Every structure is written in structure tokens, then in C-alpha cells.
Amino acid sequence: MKLPQNVSQADFTAALKAFAGIVGDQWVFTTDEDLELYRDSYSLMWGEADERTASAAVAPDNADQVVELVKIANQYRIPIYPISTGKNLGYGGAAPAFAGSVVFDLKRMNRIVEIDERNGYVVVEPGVSYFDLHKYIQEKGLKLWIDCAGPGWGSLLGNALDGGLGYTLATYRSHFDAQCGIEVVLPNGRMMRTGMGALPGAKTWQQFKPGFGPRIDGLFKQSNYGVVTKMGFWLMPAPENHTTGVVTIPRFRDIIPLVDAIGRLEQSKIVQGLWNLSSPTTGTSGDGGPGGGASKQKDSKILAILNDPGGVDMDKLDAAAGAAGIPFWACEFNFYGPKKLIKAQWDCVRDALKEISGAKFKLDEIRALPLSPEELAKMRDAVTLGIPTLKTFDLGPMLSYEGEDVVGHIFFSPIIPRTGEAAIEAMDVFATIARKYKLPYPPVQFPASMFERAFMYVVALPVTRSPTVNAKIREMFRELVLIAAERGWGEYRTAPAFYDLIMGTYSYNDHALLEFLETIKDAVDPNGIMSAGRYAIWPRHLRDAKG
Amino acid sequence: MLTRRTAVGAGLAFGSVACAAGFGAYGQAPGRTREGRSIDTLFIDESFETPRQMAALVEAGGRALPVVRIRLEAADLAGLQRVLEKSQAVVGLSSGATLFCLERIAWDQGFRLTGRSQRCASGPGEACLQDLAAFLGGTHPAASPPSLARAYRPSRADGLLHAWVMRRSAGPQFRQGRRDV
């Protein structure tokens, strides 16, 4: 049996026995076969001495059990690591950030505590997945939509705490921003509610985010200050209709006025649905999926430029596309709501973008919702309609890298300014890295627009089962992080292997942010039991040990 | 050209020779593993174009065994959960991507991958049919779940088809249905 660091066999045995006393023997896992499920399938340290694996796992049924388990962990100084459904693939999966931690597996806590159609909110426990909530809403016939992450098996609560994103209206896409009210078991075992939830009998816990006094909900995002056991989310009223509209723009550098114009529409709340860039010229889409897709471009002159081993000359590409009459950019907008609203929004988009010479516009048929199963089957994915799927896995990872099978991917995902100039710079910087390491990516990749005011640029790096190749990927990741930081671009989320690296780049005023986070850590978790190392926040005794 | 009759006949004839407890029995009744636990369901990856020979085989199998076609969508996955809840052992034919997803969904129902073959990778040839028959008949030697889980490429883009079997382990089931307060 693997032991947590600095814990004696006697204490660990006693703690496991006490845990079992709370949850029952069958919900304490210590065998290799059971613990295999808590490895990160996409770990870049798979099978290496530094792979972060659990010493045991415990699965409570309710928040009261979590309180008791945390108290026991404090008594025996057992490091614990709560997970929701453990499906955070590409960003760490179910594995702990600190090797030897006992995973608190919360997927048994799968209650939909409250759902309110009138005010548009839901309160869920950590084990409720997007599939679960979608099914519940369908069964009850509620006029509500969810905003789901790409893979629908993830936890609403877990995805929000990790800073995850969705695909519908801007208000709901940033999942932590869509939350309203948290119940959390603090590291000392005390339960707390944030916002209006601190008022006993509150009638507005899920309706008024600010509460009274400091708004501390953000302290529980990407941190280790407690076990979140309930969370409220604002839900979107089910819209009457949906459609997409596509604007094509002829030249590469037209992306600059394009992004500016769309930005104004978004800031004015005229464009609220997700918009995606793709390029008829390069034949690639810009949805940030795992790399490896081949260009669908057929024009031989354009292909020759795209496949230039020295990199794509954008001026030549622009000229070739112009000669072939192929627009460089296609921008697809999603619209929701009453028909007259959709038409008005489209008119505004046309008015704003017609200033770009050569812009062309096509609004697709406005379709009444819900779509029939036949119509849904024609869609590549239904996440823009708030319907969870696992189709993102159909994209597959790239097949091989350096002669090794690719078994998954990790995401390098920096946030870059919402300007065409920054998008061009990022495309150039990351394409250079892709060429350097012979990554089989399209020659030009585009930023994603899920966040309201900034671009996210996603590079999916391959994961193999070869320690040698994985070590190379880790170095590649490190290089990407540092190159991005030099340009003022920081990652919004990462896998545990890179927590410290990335937090190290958030170093303003001699790491004042991390020092503040560590001060809070020492105050609320003096024994350092809670999710040690998560997002680079280490308890004092482990900071001292690291020097 | 291979007809349904010849394909089914070939499968059954092959099974009766190569797998005494395999396809011959499978054609008559649900397969039974060496541990005496029956195979409850055959999963077929709907997102994969099932080759003609395999489709005929599946259709034949369906006479004795429920065949569930799987897509990675909400509506299908709800049905999948119900099937898993009632099953002890399931056999499937799918892409690596679909297997990757199904395996993790099935973990929460207490299932573990205990057999996997890539001999279907190059198409539904004799080796593939042999392995599928062995899974259905319970004669395929079980391997350790960890070694199986880490060994395949979770892709659809590679065009490979995997035959596999999952069995319910002694461990607890996480998914016991949604609970509303």
C-alpha cells in the first residue's frame, strides 16, 4: 500500500478505518485495481517515478460525511484531494496534484438539490454531470437550457471550479462566472455558504451574487481552500429558435477590422452567441480541438504555400487565395431567440461588417427549437444547443508522434488580447513552435472566442506512453509557456504537472499574488491537508520541504 | 460478394470448430463465460461504419443477444446506463475513441475491461471473428484491466476497430441513479 508523504503506516491505517466508519468499508478503495481509475489517463508522467498517484480513495455520500472525513484527515494529517466526476481530461483527470493524497471521490453526491424554472437556476452536488442535468430537464419538461463543456460527462461544479467553458450565450459560457452561491466544507471541517447563503433561510441564494461583504466565491476556483459540496448556477431560458450566419472576408489582415467590429457588437450585447473563425483558404476550422486535422484545401497553388516547410508566407497565401476567389476568413455566428430578434441581430452584424471590402453574408434558415433527432444527427456537435455529447472524443488525438502511439493530449491554452493583431502574432508564434517540433497541426490555427473579452489560443499537445517522448513534450510545453509569458500571455488553466511553472509566470511584484494565496492557505488550512499543490498553492510544510 | 447467409454461416461454422464453447453456443443462446456469467449485451459503435460481414454477424447474434448501437450522444448514453445497470458482462465492437468513453462510463457501474483485441483492426477477417466469438463465448483469456486500459489508442481517426469485453467487478457501483432532494 502506498503511503502519503510524512504519514506513518499506523496513522494511515487508523485514518482509513475511521474513513470507513463514516462512509462504509465498500466506499474506501486501496487496491491497485481500484486506484488505477484515479490515474490521469492523459498524464505526461505516466509510469514515471514522479507520476502523481493516489494512496487511497474515499467516496462520501453527502456533505455531512465530507465534514466528518475532513476532521479525520486533520486528526491524522492525511493529504486529501477532492474530485467531482474526475473527467478533467487534458487538465489532470482524477489524479491528485500531490502524490500520495487520498482522493475524495464525490461522484456519489449526485443530487440535483433545487431547480427553479421561474428564476432560471439550479443547485447541484459535485457528482451531477451535464448529462444528468440535461436528462433531468428533459424528463421534467422544463423550459431551461444548460451550457455544457465539450465532454458532457463532466461535473457542472467541477468544471466551474476548474474554470471551464461552454458554447451557448456569453453570460453562461464561462462556467464559474455563471455560478451563484457555494456551499463549502473548509479545511477545519466547518461548513460555510457564500453570498446570500450565509443568511439562514435565505430566499435569494441563487439570485444575488454579491451577498454582503467581500465576495469570496472566487477563492474556491482553481484553489485548495475547501471541498465544495453544493453550487448554484444560472440557467438559460430555452430559446425559441436558433440559426447560424456566416460572414466571409477576403483578406488575411481583414481579421483586424473583423475582430474590432465583432468586439463592439459583443460589448454592446448585440452579439451574444459564440462565433467561430475558420478559413476557407487554409481549409481548417478554429474550434480549438485536438490538432492533427489535415487541410481540406484542394487548390494546388494554395496547398504548395501551406505546405512550405519553412512556414506559410501569408502575403503569398493571401494573393493565391485572392486569385482563386477564395475568401481567407469565414466567421460563423450563433443566434438564439425570437425570430425578430435574430433578424435584428443579423442586420446589426451586416451593418457593422459591411465596411470591410468584399465581405459577404449568408444567414441560414432560422429553425424552431427543439430540433428533431434527424436534424440533430446532421450536426457535427450539439453543444451550441446546450445538448451534452462526447463527440469531442471522435476528433481523436493525433495518431502518433515520434513513432509512439498518441493516447491523449494536454492543453496549452494561453489567453491573448481580443485583437486581430494579437491573433496574427499568436498564429505566427505557435506555428513556428509546431514546425520546430514537427507537430502535425494545420499551418495556421485560430484563436477561440469563448471568453467575452479575450481570445483563448488552444494548442493540444500529444501524450504518449513513452517516458522519452513525454519528457520532450514537457519541455515543449515549458517553452510554450515561457514564450507566451514573454509576450504578456498567460494560461487560464493547466494540468497539475505545470501548476508551478505557470504560477511562476504570474510573478508581478516578486510573486505577490502567490504569497497572498499562501498566506490564506496557511490561515485556513494550517495542517496543509487540502489538495496540496493544486494550482501551485502549497501548504507551509511542503513549501519548506521544497525549499 | 458476401451475402448475409454466407457470412452468418461462415461465422457459425468457424465458431463451432475453433471455439467449442464459443460461437456455436452463441448462435443458440447467450454466451456464457468460464466463470459461468453470461454475456448480456453486444455493443456496436454506431459512429463506425460496420463492415458488411460484421453487420451480418451482429444481426445473427441479435437473435439470441440484445444488440445496442451506441453513439456518443446524450440520448444514447441514457440508454447505455440502463443496459449497464442490468448487465454483468458486455461485449463490444467499436473504435478506440468510443471504447475509451464507454470504458470510463462503465467504470462507474463497476465494470472493468477484461479483454480487448485489435485483430479486427484491418477488417472483419477470420481472426477478428475468432476473437469476437471467443469474447461472446467466454473463452478469451482475461487480462489484467490496468494493462488493457493503458494499451490502446483512443482514436476514431485511425480507422481501427476494437473487439472487447467488460465484466462487472466485485467493487461498488457509483452510479445508482440520480437522486433529487
Side-chain angles (χ1 to χ4, degrees), chain A residues 382-404:
Chain A
V383 286
T384 51
L385 301 181
I387 301 174
T389 77
L390 293 173
K391 281 188 173 178
T392 188
F393 290 96
D394 264 359
L395 297 171
M398 65 184 77
L399 299 181
S400 65
Y401 182 69
E402 301 268 295
E404 294 290 332

Side-chain angles (χ1 to χ4, degrees), chain A residues 176-351:
Chain A
F176 193 80
D177 290 335
Q179 71 82 22
C180 187
I182 288 173
E183 177 188 275
V184 58
V185 177
L186 298 171
N188 62 2
R190 190 168 188 191
M191 193 172 307
M192 182 179 79
R193 289 182 172 180
T194 66
M196 300 308 284
L199 178 76
K203 300 288 192 285
T204 54
W205 189 17
Q206 275 70 47
Q207 294 174 35
F208 186 68
K209 291 184 182 184
F212 184 77
R215 187 164 178 231
I216 63 165
D217 299 56
L219 286 176
F220 300 100
K221 169 185 159 283
Q222 297 184 344
S223 71
N224 51 15
Y225 301 140
V227 183
V228 177
T229 48
K230 289 186 186 71
M231 193 182 257
F233 290 93
W234 285 357
L235 298 177
M236 172 179 170
E240 299 85 347
N241 303 282
H242 170 255
T243 194
T244 53
V246 177
V247 182
T248 56
I249 306 288
R251 290 165 300 276
F252 175 62
R253 294 192 71 80
D254 285 341
I255 190 175
I256 295 169
L258 176 73
V259 172
D260 284 347
I262 297 173
R264 283 191 293 276
L265 292 167
E266 288 184 301
Q267 291 156 27
S268 307
K269 307 291 182 193
I270 293 168
V271 165
Q272 286 291 277
L274 187 63
W275 56 276
N276 284 306
L277 277 176
S278 61
S279 173
T281 294
T282 65
T284 47
S285 64
D287 53 11
S295 169
K296 295 177 181 68
Q297 179 56 255
K298 305 286 188 209
D299 185 285
S300 59
K301 287 180 184 169
I302 292 176
L303 272 178
I305 298 167
L306 287 173
N307 294 328
D308 186 332
V312 180
D313 183 321
M314 286 300 178
D315 291 332
K316 285 185 185 174
L317 188 62
D318 227 4
I326 299 171
F328 199 97
W329 298 109
C331 183
E332 184 183 69
F333 296 85
N334 283 279
F335 298 106
Y336 307 87
K339 276 188 180 178
K340 57 186 174 187
L341 175 63
I342 290 176
K343 286 176 180 171
Q345 287 172 321
W346 179 243
D347 284 344
C348 291
V349 169
R350 287 182 66 113
D351 287 347

Side-chain angles (χ1 to χ4, degrees), chain A residues 422-444:
Chain A
I424 288 172
E425 183 183 0
M427 284 186 263
D428 181 52
V429 166
F430 298 127
T432 302
I433 292 286
R435 277 199 311 281
K436 176 181 173 183
Y437 288 105
K438 296 184 169 54
L439 290 166
Y441 294 145
V444 182

Side-chain angles (χ1 to χ4, degrees), chain A residues 16-47:
Chain A
L16 292 177
K17 187 176 177 187
F19 287 153
I22 300 299
V23 299
D25 289 333
Q26 73 273 34
W27 298 110
V28 177
F29 309 113
T30 56
T31 68
D32 288 345
E33 183 181 334
D34 286 333
L35 295 180
E36 185 74 16
L37 309 190
Y38 297 99
R39 294 178 76 177
D40 175 12
S41 302
Y42 290 179
S43 172
L44 266 178
M45 295 191 285
W46 185 278

Side-chain angles (χ1 to χ4, degrees), chain A residues 450-489:
Chain A
M450 279 94 150
F451 290 115
E452 264 192 287
R453 301 264 176 144
F455 276 134
M456 173 177 62
Y457 199 99
V458 179
V459 178
L461 294 170
V463 173
T464 74
R465 290 290 180 253
S466 158
T468 307
V469 175
N470 285 346
K472 183 175 177 179
I473 301 293
R474 293 199 296 269
E475 281 309 305
M476 200 186 302
F477 196 100
R478 176 180 296 276
E479 186 175 341
L480 284 164
V481 169
L482 298 180
I483 284 173
E486 283 171 8
R487 285 162 174 77
W489 306 335

Side-chain angles (χ1 to χ4, degrees), chain A residues 46 405 407 465, chain B residues 113 116 118 145-154 162:
Chain A
W46 185 278
D405 277 359
V407 298
R465 290 290 180 253
Chain B
L113 187 68
R116 185 185 63 85
Q118 246 171 258
S147 66
L148 289 164
R150 73 183 62 149
Y152 68 90
R153 188 164 53 192
H162 303 250

Side-chain angles (χ1 to χ4, degrees), chain A residues 135 139, chain B residues 41 43 74-87 109 168:
Chain A
K135 182 166 174 257
E139 285 172 356
Chain B
T41 309
F43 286 107
D76 287 43
L77 290 172
L80 167 71
Q81 297 278 11
R82 287 194 295 274
V83 171
L84 288 174
E85 279 169 19
K86 295 172 184 168
S87 299
Q109 301 273 5
R168 194 185 290 282

